[in-house]
Amino acid sequence: MEIRNLKNMTTDELLSVFNRAFSDYIVPFHLSLEQLELKIIADKIDMNLSVGTFESGKLVGFILNAEKKENGKHIAYNGGTGIIPEYRGQGLVRKMYDYIIPTLKEIKTDVLTLEVIEGNNSAIRAYENLGFKIVRKLLCFNGIINLEEKDINISIKEIENLQWEKLQSFWDIQPSWQSSIKVLENIRQSCTILGAYKDEQLKGYVIYNPAVKKVYQIAVDQYSRRQGIGTKLLSTIEKMNGGQAISVNNVDDTSENTSVFLHAAGLKNWVSQFEMKRDI
């Protein structure tokens, strides 16, 4: 076996191995080429920092890594680990991390982070054995928005210039990797960003990607909550997408107000994940 980075790997070559690796996953899924390309772009996957295991020149396992610098920390994110079934149980995840960590140290990485589905106990134990620790639980919602919109004096219009300092003042929790500022800036042209205004003052906002029907962020000013603003924002999304199902992923479970609101909006917490981290 040979372990090396994936800088020369095409998305076409990766696709079949990716789908084989996740075909019997705890939540099985299958991506098209376009969906995998979108994931690589959206998650900021860097093939120079990603690593694969090869048998006779053929890829049999991989770790897809991304990196960013935020709040003074250099963070590397595992956007997907996959081993095809016949090569599991050989410690390949540890071997691939042993290979790539020196490279991550060279670029001054401080923290490794990843998400693992609750109930995937073998993966959780494997990551704990590598030094990762669970830092929080993240809830994933999906479904068709079903809200009774209130008649309130709020106007909804697109936000062209993102003032992140202002938007962050609405937050109760820190977003996970896929909904973080650095990642969203990378795909902002693919997103619809709506603001809720009262007397020309921004009171709430939502960031939505119509291509994948995903809400990345929704937040309301803490002094303007329970007034129908969040309902107005989600109702606008529902009208835009013609009543199709949407997803809202990785909601910190400590944000009880958000969970209650999403349940009331008709969405279901269909799966949960643990965010895990380790210092290097």
Side-chain angles (χ1 to χ4, degrees), residues 46-258:
D46 185 340
M47 289 302 185
N48 290 295
L49 299 178
S50 299
V51 57
T53 299
F54 295 81
E55 179 68 69
S56 301
K58 293 185 178 181
L59 184 69
V60 298
F62 59 84
I63 296 175
L64 301 179
N65 282 321
E67 60 88 21
K68 68 177 180 179
K69 192 169 185 179
E70 192 168 76
N71 299 324
K73 292 280 188 180
H74 197 162
I75 305 165
Y77 170 69
N78 178 341
T81 296
I83 309 291
I84 63 175
E86 54 266 41
Y87 286 89
R88 293 175 189 160
Q90 300 182 36
L92 296 186
V93 174
R94 175 177 290 277
K95 291 175 183 177
M96 288 191 286
Y97 265 115
D98 287 345
Y99 174 89
I100 202 61
I101 281 177
T103 300
L104 295 173
K105 286 182 176 180
E106 284 179 10
I107 62 171
K108 309 299 183 184
T109 301
D110 300 299
V111 179
L112 305 179
T113 185
L114 55 84
E115 291 132 18
V116 60
I117 290 178
E118 182 181 26
N120 191 352
N121 296 323
S122 61
I124 292 169
R125 285 194 299 271
Y127 288 125
E128 287 176 335
N129 288 337
L130 287 166
F132 285 86
K133 294 180 180 179
I134 294 172
V135 294
R136 59 176 173 169
K137 184 175 178 179
L138 303 170
L139 313 179
C140 299
F141 294 81
N142 66 14
I144 296 172
I145 298 168
N146 182 19
L147 284 166
E148 184 176 338
E149 190 175 339
K150 298 178 181 179
D151 184 16
I152 57 175
N153 185 27
I154 291 290
S155 61
I156 305 293
K157 50 190 175 183
E158 287 201 41
I159 299 176
E160 295 183 1
N161 299 314
L162 290 178
Q163 298 178 331
W164 282 111
E165 186 174 348
K166 174 68 173 178
L167 302 185
Q168 285 178 277
S169 71
F170 297 170
W171 294 1
D172 291 331
I173 56 175
Q174 290 294 317
S176 66
W177 179 275
Q178 294 176 352
S179 299
S180 63
I181 292 173
K182 292 287 187 181
V183 172
L184 292 182
E185 283 287 355
N186 192 49
I187 60 168
R188 62 182 297 177
Q189 298 305 317
S190 301
C191 294
T192 298
I193 306 169
L194 301 176
Y197 293 84
K198 183 175 183 180
D199 300 325
E200 299 302 315
Q201 297 295 313
L202 182 67
K203 299 297 183 180
Y205 74 96
V206 62
I207 301 177
Y208 174 69
N209 187 333
V212 295
K213 297 178 176 54
K214 180 184 293 185
V215 170
Y216 289 104
Q217 292 186 10
I218 182 167
V220 175
D221 172 57
Q222 61 176 323
Y223 300 109
S224 302
R225 295 173 185 171
R226 295 183 174 84
Q227 297 177 25
I229 294 172
T231 296
K232 185 94 171 178
L233 286 165
L234 273 193
S235 295
T236 304
I237 295 298
E238 189 271 337
K239 292 171 185 174
M240 287 174 55
N241 74 7
Q244 298 181 72
I246 69 160
S247 63
V248 186
N249 289 342
N250 293 347
V251 175
D252 191 319
D253 79 328
T254 61
S255 181
E256 294 182 7
N257 290 337
T258 304

Side-chain angles (χ1 to χ4, degrees), residues 18-31 117 270:
F18 187 99
N19 284 331
R20 281 187 68 193
F22 287 100
S23 62
D24 61 348
Y25 194 47
I26 191 169
V27 180
F29 61 93
H30 185 279
L31 299 184
I117 290 178
W270 70 283

